[in-house]
Amino acid sequence: MIRLSRINKYYQVGGHPLHVLKDLDLEVRTGEMVAIMGSSGSGKSTLLNILGILDAYDDGEYWLGDTLVKGLSERQAAAYRNRFLGFVFQSFHLLPFKNAVENVALPLYYQGINRRKRNAMAMDYLERVGLKDWAEHLPSEMSGGQKQRVAIARALVGQPRLILADEPTGALDSVTSHEIMDLLKDVNGQGITVVIVTHETDVAAECSRTVRLVDGQFEGVA
Amino acid sequence: MIDRFLEMTSVMWRNRVRTALTSLSVAWGIFMLVLLLGFGKGLQNNVEYEFRDDATNSVWIYPGKTTKPFDGYPVGRRLGFTNRDHDAIAVGIEGVEHITSRFYPGGDLVRWGERDGSFEVRATHPDHKYLENTIIVGGRFLNDRDIDEKRKVAVVGREVVKQLFRGADPLGEWITVRGVLFRVVGVFEDTGGDDEEAMIYLPITTAQSAFAGGESVRQIMFTVGDASVEQTDAMTEEARLMLARRHHFSPEDTRAVRVRNNVERFAQVKQIFALLGGFVWIVGLGTVMAGIVGVSNIMLVSVKERTREIGIRKALGATPGSIVGMILTEALLLTGVSGYAGLVVGVASLEAINRFVPENDYIRSPDVDLGVAVAALGLLTVAGAIAGLVPAIRAASVDPIVALRDE
């Protein structure tokens, strides 16, 4: 599903290039659930941005399925994000002025699907995460766990190849964290590849594989 | 499209106070523009109304005094025109459309039976009605046979009918002017108002012989059809030179005859109002511009506030184009709706002014025409697009990585 080969990424810091990712190689097979761990400054956010086609890399190759993700225009990157990826963020990033079903339907809006159809699809996915009765509620009326479920439904609604989760349980208590992890495992069980960036070992422990990033390099690939 | 519209209205509704205030500034700008244009038009209408009395395409020539010696004649000689001057101009100047001379019998006491009243008496040619915008409302105006046969007929204004005849039908009645009886053959009204209607017209030939005028005329007036200012100037100069030859004054002596060129005067006034009109547009556009800068500003603030929202949208697959479209349409909608409201209120205000403000000497029928309204709407559309452009580009360049970073 994902193949990174010799990915390098530099940032210009005060006129000097800072080597953030150093010759990274990674392969994630379809249906895997992989945790990427690392301390802050290890480059894991940068890696996630590259995987999420939000940031470009300087050299190497990133294959997503059979598509080479390289040198994309903003427009192409947006289209790829929309069709191939689903994002789950630590702080949910729901639009506060839209209710649950509208939030879930948003990726479909950018696919040009009409309102009735996308609301029906969004309802379907809300039901799958157990929030059918909360469809008309605004994010501010929901608990953190519920918000993250809505976010997961939103990530799934576009039928992506890959779910990228950035600290998905970082803002939740341990019970809710567990529920969310169960949900993500459930999603993974349906054959969707999941990559989770986290610094919590018990989250990583729930994944089928963990890779550790230290100073821009993988350490002891498990 | 409907989707996009609903997206936008929800955003605007969330910030309704801000939206309302911004709308107000745009609406105010357009309102002021419409009002200014309407008042400009009103001023112009008023000036055209002031010119309504006399034909604006006319030239008036009066005899003056010579200021240069010429041909053995001394300085300070007072000139006098005669019927022959009139005929010479009528025949000899190309482009003269209607021509009349005037002779004033003098003595303004006019009698009808036991009654009398004081009215201005003018003796003229039949064409005079074209120069003074005289409108016959009963009977007829003077005609060529009155001139040829020196008939003792008179045409009276409505004020004369009112004051002398006390509303009785004057047609066929005999009135006395300086002891001579004239039969009333016509009643007129004049666009120049009451003063011009307290007037009696006599055939010039009749008056000249009845009141010992000989052949003399006091002024010669003619219209030039639709000749341009330059053509009229040329005709006027030609007439002046002709009179110089006939009366032996120096062609350089510009004071020997006095010329009132209404074509030129009207053109000057029109020019002043064209300038005023331009000025009004500039001021109005300035006001609109201020409104638009307001919209642009508020959209910039809005984009800044919505950085995270835009970041989320981008992460979920919004293209830069769709973000630009979102902000641009929002700006267009904002300026369009509020501007249209300003336009409607402005036009309604002008209508109200028209209806409820009494006639006065400064403004007459303030009004905007359809062309101006359409131009204002076009302006709004362009303005909306301009107002949205900078914020839209700013929005499209939002980096989702930065926008979505957790603080």
Side-chain angles (χ1 to χ4, degrees):
Chain A
M1 174 54 54
I2 295 175
R3 191 154 56 81
L4 298 182
S5 68
R6 308 186 73 77
I7 293 282
N8 281 284
K9 174 72 180 175
Y10 306 87
Y11 282 130
Q12 291 294 324
V13 177
H16 299 286
L18 182 68
H19 203 169
V20 188
L21 298 180
K22 299 163 185 165
D23 277 340
L24 281 191
D25 287 310
L26 178 68
E27 190 150 350
V28 177
R29 286 180 302 280
T30 305
E32 267 195 298
M33 185 160 173
V34 175
I36 298 173
M37 292 193 74
S39 56
S40 65
S42 63
K44 67 182 196 300
S45 296
T46 307
L47 177 59
L48 187 76
N49 288 337
I50 289 172
L51 288 175
I53 326 182
L54 293 166
D55 204 351
Y57 50 94
D58 292 306
D59 51 52
E61 280 183 356
Y62 168 23
W63 288 86
L64 183 60
D66 47 11
T67 310
L68 175 62
V69 178
K70 191 167 193 177
L72 299 178
S73 72
E74 268 208 69
R75 195 187 161 75
Q76 283 170 312
Y80 283 15
R81 284 198 292 273
N82 188 254
R83 275 188 283 140
F84 298 160
L85 302 176
F87 288 97
V88 177
F89 302 98
Q90 177 175 4
S91 48
F92 326 125
H93 286 329
L94 300 175
L95 296 188
F97 51 92
K98 286 184 178 293
N99 65 30
V101 68
E102 286 169 339
N103 262 293
V104 174
L106 200 57
L108 302 176
Y109 171 74
Y110 290 110
Q111 285 178 11
I113 292 172
N114 73 47
R115 178 167 291 253
R116 183 182 296 180
K117 191 168 172 207
R118 66 174 194 258
N119 279 354
M121 289 170 76
M123 265 323 254
D124 193 29
Y125 277 91
L126 268 185
E127 195 172 0
R128 290 193 200 185
V129 299
L131 287 176
K132 194 185 174 204
D133 298 336
W134 290 78
E136 304 296 324
H137 285 74
L138 290 175
S140 56
E141 298 160 346
M142 296 183 179
S143 70
Q146 285 173 320
K147 282 191 244 189
Q148 198 59 299
R149 284 163 186 271
V150 172
I152 290 169
R154 182 179 67 183
L156 289 171
V157 77
Q159 291 159 328
R161 297 178 183 183
L162 172 67
I163 297 284
L164 289 172
D166 184 8
E167 305 278 9
T169 60
L172 305 173
D173 62 59
S174 58
V175 176
T176 323
S177 293
H178 211 76
E179 286 170 15
I180 292 299
M181 283 312 294
D182 283 347
L183 182 57
L184 284 172
K185 276 180 1 192
D186 206 37
V187 165
N188 180 242
Q190 289 159 29
I192 298 174
T193 314
V194 177
V195 172
I196 299 175
V197 169
T198 185
H199 62 265
E200 290 174 60
T201 40
D202 46 344
V203 167
E206 305 243 21
C207 297
S208 54
R209 185 152 69 98
T210 300
V211 292
R212 283 174 206 282
L213 201 57
V214 177
D215 288 336
Q217 284 174 309
F218 285 127
E219 171 199 83
V221 176
Chain B
M1 194 59 220
I2 293 168
D3 261 6
R4 182 186 271 189
F5 185 78
L6 290 173
E7 282 284 320
M8 251 159 17
T9 43
S10 79
V11 168
M12 288 157 109
W13 182 245
R14 263 186 296 138
N15 296 307
R16 49 195 169 273
V17 173
R18 194 164 71 189
T19 305
L21 286 175
T22 315
S23 304
L24 194 65
S25 77
V26 174
W28 179 252
I30 291 290
F31 173 74
M32 286 308 291
L33 177 68
V34 168
L35 222 56
L36 279 169
L37 289 175
F39 273 86
K41 180 79 177 163
L43 281 170
Q44 192 179 345
N45 285 345
N46 190 54
V47 167
E48 278 168 10
Y49 181 80
E50 293 295 324
F51 269 87
R52 78 207 177 281
D53 176 23
D54 306 318
T56 50
N57 62 341
S58 63
V59 174
W60 300 8
I61 304 177
Y62 309 85
K65 251 197 273 187
T66 60
T67 56
K68 289 190 169 86
F70 188 73
D71 230 2
Y73 290 95
V75 170
R77 178 167 54 102
R78 189 175 285 281
L79 298 177
F81 292 164
T82 68
N83 291 344
R84 287 188 301 280
D85 294 317
H86 171 102
D87 295 341
I89 289 174
V91 175
I93 304 295
E94 183 97 16
V96 170
E97 182 190 28
H98 301 293
I99 182 163
T100 181
S101 293
R102 266 191 200 172
F103 168 76
Y104 298 99
D108 54 5
L109 196 67
V110 177
R111 302 179 57 86
W112 175 58
E114 299 299 303
R115 298 225 183 88
D116 55 43
S118 176
F119 304 102
E120 191 179 337
V121 181
R122 286 174 181 166
T124 69
H125 290 86
D127 273 1
H128 192 275
K129 64 170 179 276
Y130 299 113
L131 280 115
E132 276 284 353
N133 292 337
T134 306
I135 300 150
I136 291 296
V137 292
R140 62 173 176 83
F141 195 66
L142 305 173
N143 61 27
D144 289 338
R145 282 183 66 188
D146 296 334
I147 301 294
D148 294 345
E149 298 173 9
K150 300 186 183 176
R151 287 170 165 174
K152 293 198 173 66
V153 294
V155 180
V156 300
R158 284 199 307 190
E159 274 303 299
V160 179
V161 178
K162 209 151 89 185
Q163 292 176 22
L164 189 65
F165 294 95
R166 306 286 158 91
D169 181 7
L171 291 181
E173 295 297 319
W174 292 85
I175 55 174
T176 312
V177 178
R178 281 186 64 193
V180 181
L181 280 167
F182 291 84
R183 197 164 61 89
V184 176
V185 295
V187 177
F188 69 89
E189 60 180 36
D190 192 302
T191 50
D194 289 355
D195 289 350
E196 291 290 327
E197 290 182 354
M199 184 84 66
I200 294 171
Y201 286 113
L202 306 176
I204 188 165
T205 49
T206 319
Q208 282 166 338
S209 50
F211 306 117
E215 291 265 285
S216 88
V217 301
R218 293 283 292 280
Q219 72 198 71
I220 299 170
M221 310 147 79
F222 58 85
T223 61
V224 298
D226 49 12
S228 66
V229 173
E230 291 75 23
Q231 287 167 328
T232 308
D233 283 345
M235 285 168 65
T236 307
E237 184 61 9
E238 202 183 330
R240 206 180 62 80
L241 293 178
M242 173 188 275
L243 290 168
R245 279 194 306 278
R246 296 177 59 84
H247 292 274
H248 309 284
F249 62 82
S250 162
E252 279 91 54
D253 189 350
T254 51
R255 309 274 296 273
V257 296
R258 287 184 297 123
V259 175
R260 172 168 145 172
N261 186 338
N262 284 324
V263 178
E264 204 170 58
R265 278 167 30 123
F266 191 57
Q268 278 167 354
V269 170
K270 276 211 291 207
Q271 201 173 11
I272 289 170
F273 275 85
L275 279 174
L276 189 72
F279 183 67
V280 160
W281 267 104
I282 289 170
V283 173
L285 286 184
T287 321
V288 175
M289 200 90 86
I292 287 161
V293 169
V295 171
S296 207
N297 238 328
I298 221 76
M299 298 290 298
L300 274 177
V301 171
S302 164
V303 164
K304 187 141 188 78
E305 280 185 6
R306 290 162 64 189
T307 305
R308 173 153 298 192
E309 175 198 333
I310 291 164
I312 294 171
R313 286 176 185 275
K314 281 188 134 183
L316 297 181
T319 56
S322 75
I323 299 287
V324 167
M326 177 172 84
I327 304 294
L328 263 189
T329 359
E330 209 176 302
L332 270 176
L333 192 72
L334 199 64
T335 47
V337 169
S338 51
Y340 186 74
L343 188 68
V344 168
V345 175
V347 170
S349 306
L350 287 177
E351 283 301 315
I353 289 168
N354 252 338
R355 188 162 307 177
F356 298 116
V357 174
E359 272 195 24
N360 58 66
D361 289 342
Y362 309 104
I363 297 270
R364 179 167 290 271
S365 313
D367 186 15
V368 284
D369 49 34
L370 191 67
V372 171
V374 170
L377 275 180
L379 182 78
L380 271 179
T381 319
V382 175
I386 293 172
L389 204 59
V390 175
I393 290 169
R394 179 80 55 93
S397 67
V398 164
D399 183 351
I401 297 171
V402 178
L404 298 180
R405 194 170 285 157
D406 291 306
E407 276 93 38

